Amino acid sequence: GGGWEGVEVRGGRVRKVDWRHSCLVGNVPEDIGQLAMLEVLYLNGNRLDGEVPEALGRLKHLRYIDLSNNRLTMIPQSIRCCQSLNYLALFNNKLRVVPKELASLTNLAYLSLHGNPAWEETLMRQSQLMGVYIAGQQLKEYLAALESEGQQ
């Protein structure tokens, strides 16, 4: 009983937030960084805009993030600290830059960026990435290219 809709608590800590299609408007709050044990975050299908806060990098246990179908413009560089991250859905936003820090996410197995200005630009350079999402060997190659671009 009790609790908040879409919030899963185990061992007294918030493990999962599922607020997809919840009519959320505005920015992702800085306070997100206080959910230290968060593993799964669904905020897709809302009207969130602006930059995702640097506080996201404090979520060391985060395995799954879906921020797709919003109006987000920026993913923080601190995302490199989310080393448990396995799944990252960012499609259909307003991202102008793909952060090169994604290249340091060694456990990342799924990434989707289509429908963002930054992705359209990438496709002009790497047309083989036509899929809706990238995974496996293609993802490894893409992240390696992203990293070497950042070195220039």
Side-chain angles (χ1 to χ4, degrees), residues 75-126:
I75 298 301
Q77 294 180 341
S78 66
I79 196 162
R80 70 180 173 278
C81 302
C82 300
Q83 282 299 316
S84 304
L85 203 57
N86 182 259
Y87 180 104
L88 181 57
L90 296 169
F91 61 91
N92 295 342
N93 273 289
K94 308 234 175 281
L95 301 176
R96 293 180 298 271
V97 179
V98 178
K100 64 180 185 302
E101 287 75 17
L102 293 184
S104 62
L105 298 176
T106 47
N107 292 305
L108 194 63
Y110 173 105
L111 174 66
S112 59
L113 287 161
H114 65 278
N116 283 290
W119 184 240
E120 308 315 317
E121 223 171 273
T122 302
L123 285 181
M124 286 157 57
R125 294 193 307 272
Q126 294 172 273

Side-chain angles (χ1 to χ4, degrees), residues 28-141:
V28 176
E30 189 72 35
D31 293 353
I32 191 110
Q34 291 172 16
L35 301 176
M37 301 305 285
L38 191 67
E39 295 168 19
V40 177
L41 179 62
Y42 287 102
L43 292 175
N44 46 308
N46 286 293
R47 284 183 305 207
L48 298 170
D49 54 33
E51 304 184 3
V52 176
E54 287 289 336
L56 185 75
R58 288 195 225 124
L59 306 179
K60 310 274 186 263
H61 299 276
L62 212 47
R63 291 180 291 112
Y64 190 108
I65 305 180
D66 192 340
L67 296 173
S68 61
N69 294 310
N70 278 292
R71 301 170 185 170
L72 300 167
T73 56
M74 187 90 143
I75 298 301
Q77 294 180 341
S78 66
I79 196 162
R80 70 180 173 278
C81 302
C82 300
Q83 282 299 316
S84 304
L85 203 57
N86 182 259
Y87 180 104
L88 181 57
L90 296 169
F91 61 91
N92 295 342
N93 273 289
K94 308 234 175 281
L95 301 176
R96 293 180 298 271
V97 179
V98 178
K100 64 180 185 302
E101 287 75 17
L102 293 184
S104 62
L105 298 176
T106 47
N107 292 305
L108 194 63
Y110 173 105
L111 174 66
S112 59
L113 287 161
H114 65 278
N116 283 290
W119 184 240
E120 308 315 317
E121 223 171 273
T122 302
L123 285 181
M124 286 157 57
R125 294 193 307 272
Q126 294 172 273
S127 55
Q128 78 279 12
L129 296 171
M130 279 312 291
V132 168
Y133 68 93
I134 39 181
Q137 189 54 36
Q138 217 176 28
L139 178 59
K140 284 187 178 66
E141 289 166 14

